[in-house]
Amino acid sequence: MREYLLGNAAIAKGLLEAGIGLAAGYPGTPSSEIIEGLVELKGDLPLHIEWSVNEKVALEVAAGASWTGCRSVATMKHVGLNVAADPFMTLAYLGVGAGLLVICADDPFCHSSQNEQDSRRFAQFASIPCLDPADPQEARDMAIYGLELSEKFNIPVMLRPTTRVSHARADVEVSQDRPIPVERRFVKNPARRVALPSHARPLHHELLAKQPAIEEELEGCPWNRLTLRGETGVIASGIAGLYAEEALTDLDLDHTLLRIGAYPAPKKLICRMLEHVSRVLVIEELEPVVEEQVAMLAGKINPSIQILGKEKEIPREGELDLITVRNALARMNGLGIMERASFAAAEIVPPRPPALCPGCSHRATYYAMRRVYGKKAIYPSDIGCYTMAVGMGTVDTCLCMGASISLASGIRFGGETEGICASLGDSTFLHGGMTGLLNAAYNKARITVTILDNSTTAMTGHQPHPGTGVTATGEPTAQVSLEELARALGAGLVETVDPYDLEGTMEGFQRAKDFPGLSVVIARQPCVIKARRSGTRPRAFKVSDECQGCRICVEYGCPAIEFEGEMAKINNLCTGCGICAQICPSSAILEVER
């Protein structure tokens, strides 16, 4: 049976076909739709699905389920693996019960990320297998195979889709879901489950001893395949394999081709190629993981071989595409390169940098924050929609999830005397900000922390979190109070404000600024996208003839406000937040009946 599926939906389908009993993850583009796809497909299956508070917790939950004999999966994006690195590295020692798949979606070109790290390095570091799909079909197939491989070698397995695989659509061959075993239990075995030094040492030896058998298994898997032809060789991994195949056909080149989709890299296949060719081009996205292996083996097999790759031919940053790969092959063979279609885009279309939505409460919060704290204050910020407020002068730092609070503490203790007001979202606070707040309270940092509470994880698609009162599957659950959390973690002053009440918000910030210790401002207003999608905009505004053309409302930055002639104008993007009416010095913006 064939279905037209998004790559992440194909992965979700494969997981159900493999009979997983638990899936845990933290939302992050490009991985988010895997959990959401499982929720849609779950039906009445006895399958536990959760959005965990962060990636470390997700992996630990999945590991615990695996140890009960339940096939499990943890999902995250590449930077989330940094958060999960602690359990990730040790799990390779302790092993699994039932299959455990770690799905880590990489994002070459930083489409929606703060870096481009290559998760194959993490798999290599942990000595676990890594499966690198080239398309949605391979992603589905590898999800099933990865769980089987995990059980065969008693080891976690990584599945590493990239953005172009996760978000591509294709016809995918699927089958029926496998029944999920219901009766499972944890079997006590401290020697394998307790990472004491006396246990870890023999387990590390066991992990290393597994590697030859794992390599032998992957040598014969369908995603590592060698086609011997001419004396020039091409090695391509993951989605680059598709580009290489198409480019070789387009250029009519009779080159030997090795496609790699599973790691550790297949040494025997690489050696067979190196014995056959006089030069080889290695094509892979981001890090030279395969290229380094090729160079090492070439030193033993064929020292005179010419190895081309990251030095000049293939970029070490950004995404690859067909033209990049085709031109690398063309240059290597003295053929003409393909020019990219180019035009002076800036002369045709004005720049459109990412911006907060019309009526977004974060814009109002930052406006009030800047009015109170001033230009000289320091504004550490975080990962989320609100990072797009960098143009408002209220985002001075952005490092990683939850770092805004810790950075603010460090800036204060580093000697900064101006006001410091950090900001992060509600989901980000629950993910990685709580420990920073506890640390700031314990070490007596005089800073303000603003929690921008829009009651969802907006940046990645409106997933719920512990502050929303619903689970990943929509069931009601305990709703955490951010106020009570902040007080329990040691904040001396906690203010809750409504960003749409500009004066009240500024008063709350002023009290926080004046407080001689750690203060927290919770700016609460639900995400405006939900209201916009529902079509329920409770208020409407227009600009009257009293407009003086001062442009203060336009400078506020809301896309719903334009300037036409000598007057401001409110367009149909308006969501009725009313902030423009509050900041207009001429009182020229009036509420009208919708």
Side-chain angles (χ1 to χ4, degrees):
M1 182 172 64
R2 297 179 71 82
E3 295 183 22
Y4 186 61
L5 296 174
L6 187 75
N8 282 342
I11 292 172
K13 190 72 175 71
L15 294 172
L16 288 181
E17 291 175 42
I20 64 160
L22 180 140
Y26 185 80
T29 304
S31 71
S32 303
E33 297 88 355
I34 299 170
I35 291 287
E36 292 170 348
L38 287 169
V39 170
E40 290 179 8
L41 295 170
K42 176 181 181 294
D44 58 359
L45 290 171
L47 167 63
H48 176 80
I49 307 172
E50 70 172 55
W51 286 121
S52 305
V53 295
N54 64 32
E55 297 84 359
K56 177 179 184 290
V57 171
L59 183 52
E60 291 161 351
V61 169
S66 166
W67 289 346
T68 68
C70 171
R71 281 190 166 183
S72 304
V73 60
T75 72
M76 61 199 70
K77 65 185 295 181
H78 60 294
V79 288
L81 186 55
N82 299 332
V83 180
D86 197 353
F88 179 76
M89 297 301 295
T90 304
L91 270 173
Y93 284 33
L94 302 185
V96 301
L100 174 58
L101 194 65
V102 182
I103 303 179
C104 184
D106 280 7
D107 188 23
F109 194 67
C110 300
H111 289 281
S112 184
S113 309
Q114 63 267 40
N115 71 27
E116 295 185 285
Q117 72 190 47
D118 189 331
S119 296
R120 294 179 300 166
R121 290 289 197 200
F122 257 120
Q124 187 181 50
F125 189 18
S127 299
I128 71 167
C130 175
L131 306 176
D132 194 9
D135 56 36
Q137 181 70 64
E138 287 192 1
R140 173 263 182 191
D141 297 345
M142 287 180 175
I144 299 170
Y145 175 73
L147 288 161
E148 296 169 351
L149 187 67
S150 173
E151 291 171 351
K152 181 172 183 177
F153 291 101
N154 186 26
I155 196 170
V157 171
M158 177 186 288
L159 176 64
R160 181 229 183 201
T162 57
T163 300
R164 295 299 177 187
V165 174
S166 289
H167 289 168
R169 289 185 182 273
D171 283 337
V172 177
E173 194 71 35
V174 299
S175 61
Q176 296 298 314
D177 301 343
R178 196 182 86 172
I180 300 170
V182 177
E183 292 185 10
R184 301 178 291 258
R185 66 188 184 92
F186 180 82
V187 178
K188 295 188 178 186
N189 187 354
R192 297 209 63 88
R193 297 291 181 251
V194 181
L196 292 172
S198 59
H199 297 163
R201 286 189 288 268
L203 290 175
H204 187 201
H205 178 78
E206 181 180 306
L207 173 63
L208 297 177
K210 292 177 185 177
Q211 299 307 304
I214 291 173
E215 291 181 20
E216 186 69 28
E217 165 80 16
L218 296 180
E219 286 277 349
C221 80
W223 304 291
N224 291 333
R225 51 189 183 269
L226 172 63
T227 305
L228 293 174
R229 294 195 184 100
E231 292 186 4
T232 294
V234 176
I235 301 176
S237 67
I239 195 170
L242 295 180
Y243 302 145
E245 284 187 344
E246 187 170 345
L248 289 171
T249 301
D250 184 46
L251 293 168
D252 195 25
L253 295 172
D254 189 34
H255 288 351
T256 290
L257 176 64
L258 171 59
R259 285 193 56 180
I260 296 177
Y263 303 85
K267 292 179 183 177
K268 291 181 181 179
L269 293 178
I270 293 172
C271 288
R272 282 182 60 195
M273 169 182 264
L274 294 177
E275 290 170 345
H276 181 79
V277 302
S278 59
R279 61 176 180 167
V280 61
L281 173 65
V282 183
I283 306 171
E284 56 189 325
E285 281 188 326
L286 299 179
E287 291 299 295
V289 174
V290 174
E291 186 177 335
E292 291 171 0
Q293 191 77 47
V294 171
M296 182 182 70
L297 293 172
K300 302 175 182 178
I301 301 297
N302 189 353
S304 63
I305 195 169
Q306 182 184 17
I307 301 173
L308 306 172
K310 295 297 181 185
E311 186 69 26
K312 293 180 181 179
E313 291 75 20
I314 303 296
R316 195 170 175 171
E317 57 187 343
E319 288 184 303
L320 298 182
D321 57 24
L322 176 60
I323 294 177
T324 301
V325 173
R326 182 194 184 280
N327 286 345
L329 285 165
R331 281 190 293 268
M332 185 173 71
N333 287 278
L335 303 174
I337 66 170
M338 178 184 289
E339 297 292 337
R340 294 181 183 274
S342 63
F343 55 88
E347 297 176 7
I348 301 171
V349 180
R352 297 182 63 188
L356 296 169
C357 296
C360 177
S361 62
H362 297 341
R363 183 182 288 107
T365 301
Y366 279 130
Y367 180 87
M369 181 192 297
R370 181 72 181 268
R371 289 284 300 273
V372 172
Y373 282 82
K375 294 181 179 180
K376 292 184 178 181
I378 312 300
Y379 299 102
S381 194
D382 227 294
I383 306 296
C385 300
Y386 39 87
T387 320
M388 292 186 288
V390 63
M392 298 182 71
T394 49
V395 177
D396 291 327
T397 71
C398 179
L399 178 61
C400 62
M401 295 284 283
S404 56
I405 305 175
S406 306
L407 287 170
S409 296
I411 291 168
R412 173 64 77 214
F413 295 135
E416 180 59 60
T417 58
E418 294 289 345
I420 300 176
C421 188
S423 59
L424 74 172
D426 45 336
S427 182
T428 305
F429 174 71
L430 295 169
H431 170 285
M434 291 189 291
T435 50
L437 187 65
L438 176 62
N439 186 75
Y442 175 66
N443 289 292
K444 301 182 179 180
R446 185 178 179 182
I447 60 174
T448 297
V449 174
T450 305
I451 302 175
L452 302 154
D453 180 10
N454 59 8
S455 304
T456 189
T457 313
M459 188 71 164
T460 54
H462 297 89
Q463 295 84 5
H465 59 66
T468 63
V470 293
T471 67
T473 54
E475 300 171 79
T477 186
Q479 184 173 5
V480 171
S481 166
L482 297 181
E483 288 86 350
E484 291 180 14
L485 261 180
R487 293 188 184 98
L489 290 169
L493 175 71
V494 177
E495 292 276 340
T496 301
V497 299
D498 176 1
Y500 289 170
D501 174 7
L502 201 56
E503 184 176 347
T505 300
M506 288 191 289
E507 290 173 355
F509 273 123
Q510 188 64 55
R511 287 189 291 271
K513 181 183 179 184
D514 294 339
F515 185 74
L518 175 63
S519 57
V520 171
V521 175
I522 300 171
R524 180 171 291 127
Q525 185 66 234
C527 179
V528 72
I529 287 181
K530 294 181 178 179
R532 188 171 64 189
R533 284 176 176 169
S534 68
T536 56
R537 293 183 289 182
R539 300 192 294 173
F541 292 83
K542 73 171 185 178
V543 180
S544 73
D545 294 338
E546 300 298 316
C547 177
Q548 302 297 308
C550 66
R551 294 180 178 263
I552 288 176
C553 60
V554 177
E555 291 168 1
Y556 174 63
C558 180
I561 308 173
E562 306 173 2
F563 214 75
E564 190 174 84
E566 298 299 319
M567 288 181 58
K569 175 186 176 183
I570 296 175
N571 61 38
N572 60 7
L573 295 176
C574 177
T575 58
C577 73
I579 297 296
C580 56
Q582 297 178 55
I583 65 176
C584 177
S586 305
S587 299
I589 300 178
L590 307 175
E591 184 175 354
V592 296
E593 289 187 13
R594 180 167 294 283

